[in-house]
Amino acid sequence: MKRTLLYIVALVLTIAATAQTLNVKVGNVVYQFPAAQTGEMTYAEGETVTIMGKIFSLSDIDEMTVDDTKVTANLVDIAYSTGGSAVVTVAGNVAQYVTPTISGNHVTIAQTNTAAVDDDEITYQLSGTTADGEFALDGSYKCTVSLAGVSLTNPSGPAINIGNKKRIQISAKNGTVNTLTDGADANEGWKGCIYSKGQIQLQGKGSLTVNGNTKHAIKSGDYVTVKNLTLTVKSTAGDGISCNKYFVMNSGDVTISAGDDGIQCDLEDDDDVTGETTDHEDENSGNIYIQGGTLNINTSAAGSKGVKAVGTLYINESSTTTNITVTNSGGVNTSDASDLVASACLKADTAIDISGGTMTLTNSGQGGRAINSDGTLNISGGHIIAQAQGTNYGSSSGQGGFRPGGWGGSSSSSSSHKYAKGVKADGDITITGGTVNVYSKSHEGLESKGTITISGGQVYVQASDDAINAASHLTISGGYVCGYSTGNDGLDSNGNMYIKGGLVYAICSGSPEVAFDAN
């Protein structure tokens, strides 16, 4: 012990003389203490030494060295290894708040209070490659996970597993290529390749590929945001991105291939619904906001949705352009014969509001829809191509024509039928601007179970059944409107039809169908 004490005294004198860095190695963890911050190191009873609040048992210390390494404050660096064990390097100013546990390339961090460090947060930087590792974090404070060229596969769980219920920023460093992959074991209970109990902010100017082989690729128990990032997501069994409260995409380039929904947002608690709030403060709406960037989604599961919001789906353009391409070939989910579920490119339970952006939405699945709102649909801008290229499910006529209620009757689907429609809303449809091009191979093109009101924009609909159909009133007061049916009416209103302005073309399939069918 006396020899150890003399060695520590010598190190202190060396640091003081050269203003360098003290490295304390404990297993595969290296703690780095800059000379300018080290101050007094307390040596107690021949058993422990305390450096910048971090207490070390002398028996645990493998090595203490001094060099000229530059220390980045608040940084915890995790370097994975293909043939050995991960090495964790901890900046001295946060050493007392971080307890790493390392088993091969499986790294678990227990984090305590960082409020004393200038109210700043810790950054965990991941680099290196391993086919059997993970990064797990448990604590109660915000932090950043910086991806600095990491290829991380965990065959027995999530690649990144965050127990914090606070905001976690996952950032791909500029110019880096990063890949995260989980295992493929349906009997295990993990929820995603990236999983966090709290909020996830996905960002950075590097690239990130996430492979979810058990359930979701990215799962948050709170909200998810995307900014700048080039993100490629593949989920073989679940959603590409699944979250609660709300989802926001501001910019970036996102490509998703999903075994279920591409992006899905639910409520955290149905009894605590807020709707949209200012700056999304304490929001629990189930809303999805796509307001910039490029989004490409491909789904193929029965009943799947490209984008699905339990609240309202908003699509617009803020500071950057919005480009959305969704391809769905999933068809109808028949697992519950009394409640068939149709696939859709865009789906919302409350409303869909489109005021900007360019969208190409193609559903080739049987009984599938390009756009499907259980509430209202409002279009005031943007360029939309919505195509339903599949056949009907359960219909006696694969190319439209017959509908429950007979020719010209109600187009409501029975429990044993799902009709492939370009655009369908259970509530009112309002179009005041933008360009809307709709094609439906087997049934109606643009359908509302309420009213349809068009006062602006360009609307072109081609369908094998009614091109444009309103269960209630249909009003056109402006814009350019063309309804072209190859098998039924051009414009069909089960209520009154009002044409007050605009340029209107209505083309039917021929007798006994008509161009305008009202009441």
Side-chain angles (χ1 to χ4, degrees):
M1 288 300 174
K2 186 176 294 184
R3 182 180 298 173
T4 303
L5 175 59
L6 291 173
Y7 182 60
I8 293 174
V9 170
L11 282 172
V12 172
L13 292 174
T14 302
I15 294 170
T18 60
Q20 294 182 324
T21 297
L22 172 62
N23 302 281
V24 179
K25 186 174 185 297
V26 180
N28 273 34
V29 182
V30 179
Y31 299 89
Q32 297 183 323
F33 300 95
Q37 301 173 20
T38 301
E40 182 177 335
M41 294 185 287
T42 304
Y43 180 72
E45 299 179 357
E47 295 182 356
T48 65
V49 60
T50 301
I51 309 172
M52 293 181 65
K54 178 69 173 180
I55 301 174
F56 295 95
S57 295
L58 294 179
S59 60
D60 292 336
I61 297 176
D62 297 318
E63 187 177 72
M64 297 177 73
T65 60
V66 175
D67 59 25
D68 58 358
T69 302
K70 183 179 179 180
V71 181
T72 302
N74 303 331
L75 180 66
V76 177
D77 183 84
I78 297 104
Y80 294 97
S81 171
T82 53
S85 178
V87 174
V88 178
T89 305
V90 182
N93 72 312
V94 296
Q96 63 180 306
Y97 308 117
V98 174
T99 303
T101 301
I102 302 173
S103 177
N105 280 294
H106 291 256
V107 178
T108 301
I109 304 287
Q111 176 185 319
T112 57
N113 185 17
T114 58
V117 190
D118 300 324
D119 292 322
D120 208 342
E121 62 188 57
I122 295 176
T123 295
Y124 298 94
Q125 180 171 282
L126 313 185
S127 63
T129 300
T130 179
D132 187 4
E134 70 176 314
F135 173 71
L137 174 67
D138 194 17
S140 303
Y141 299 90
K142 297 177 181 179
C143 69
T144 294
V145 177
S146 177
L147 307 179
V150 64
S151 180
L152 178 59
T153 298
N154 184 4
S156 58
I160 293 180
N161 188 2
I162 310 293
N164 292 14
K165 289 188 176 181
K166 297 293 185 179
R167 188 270 296 144
I168 304 299
Q169 187 181 99
I170 298 178
S171 179
K173 294 190 71 173
N174 190 12
T176 65
V177 177
N178 305 277
T179 303
L180 303 172
T181 305
D182 68 2
D185 189 344
N187 295 319
E188 295 295 334
W190 69 85
K191 298 179 181 180
C193 179
I194 296 178
Y195 173 71
S196 176
K197 288 184 179 180
Q199 310 98 343
I200 297 178
Q201 293 180 351
L202 297 164
Q203 60 185 64
K205 294 188 177 180
S207 70
L208 171 60
T209 298
V210 183
N211 299 304
N213 293 310
T214 292
K215 199 170 183 183
H216 309 306
I218 300 172
K219 173 63 180 178
S220 168
D222 212 290
Y223 70 74
V224 170
T225 65
V226 179
K227 183 178 181 181
N228 294 329
L229 185 64
T230 298
L231 176 64
T232 302
V233 174
K234 182 178 180 181
S235 173
T236 59
D239 303 334
I241 300 175
S242 176
C243 63
N244 296 328
K245 291 191 174 180
Y246 64 91
F247 172 90
V248 178
M249 180 172 174
N250 289 308
S251 58
D253 191 336
V254 178
T255 300
I256 298 174
S257 177
D260 196 356
D261 301 328
I263 299 173
Q264 192 270 351
C265 185
D266 210 333
L267 293 168
E268 183 181 52
D269 186 343
D270 291 347
D271 297 327
D272 188 27
V273 180
T274 64
E276 183 179 3
T277 64
T278 302
D279 297 326
H280 306 299
E281 186 71 25
D282 297 322
E283 181 172 333
N284 182 36
S285 62
N287 292 349
I288 291 178
Y289 307 87
I290 301 175
Q291 50 199 34
T294 299
L295 177 61
N296 292 280
I297 297 177
N298 189 303
T299 62
S300 58
S304 63
K305 315 297 188 293
V307 180
K308 179 184 178 183
V310 73
T312 298
L313 170 59
Y314 293 94
I315 299 174
N316 57 52
E317 292 182 338
S318 54
S319 58
T320 60
T321 58
T322 300
N323 292 283
I324 300 173
T325 302
V326 181
T327 303
N328 192 326
S329 58
V332 176
N333 187 333
T334 61
S335 59
D336 183 351
S338 64
D339 185 20
L340 301 179
V341 178
S343 63
C345 295
L346 304 180
K347 171 68 164 63
D349 290 354
T350 301
I352 296 177
D353 190 301
I354 300 173
S355 58
T358 299
M359 281 144 274
T360 302
L361 313 170
T362 305
N363 195 328
S364 60
Q366 190 178 35
R369 289 85 189 267
I371 298 177
N372 191 0
S373 174
D374 288 350
T376 59
L377 170 63
N378 300 299
I379 300 173
S380 59
H383 183 87
I384 303 167
I385 298 175
Q387 302 182 75
Q389 297 179 343
T391 59
N392 299 321
Y393 176 84
S395 172
S396 60
S397 174
Q399 297 297 321
F402 173 80
R403 292 174 294 173
W407 296 93
S410 170
S411 60
S412 299
S413 299
S414 71
S415 61
S416 61
H417 297 79
K418 284 294 178 184
Y419 296 99
K421 301 178 181 182
V423 177
K424 176 184 176 294
D426 288 346
D428 299 336
I429 294 177
T430 303
I431 301 175
T432 59
T435 302
V436 183
N437 291 280
V438 181
Y439 170 76
S440 181
K441 172 184 176 181
S442 302
H443 212 257
E444 292 168 331
L446 179 70
E447 183 203 21
S448 167
K449 298 300 184 183
T451 64
I452 295 179
T453 303
I454 302 172
S455 60
Q458 299 180 37
V459 181
Y460 176 84
V461 184
Q462 179 182 340
S464 63
D465 203 317
D466 296 333
I468 299 175
N469 176 271
S472 184
H473 306 310
L474 170 60
T475 302
I476 300 173
S477 60
Y480 173 96
V481 180
C482 179
Y484 170 37
S485 172
T486 59
N488 214 322
D489 304 323
L491 275 65
D492 184 2
S493 172
N494 292 333
N496 296 329
M497 185 181 297
Y498 304 96
I499 298 179
K500 303 178 180 180
L503 179 61
V504 181
Y505 291 85
I507 305 168
C508 69
S509 61
S511 180
E513 311 308 332
V514 292
F516 298 95
D517 185 354
N519 288 317

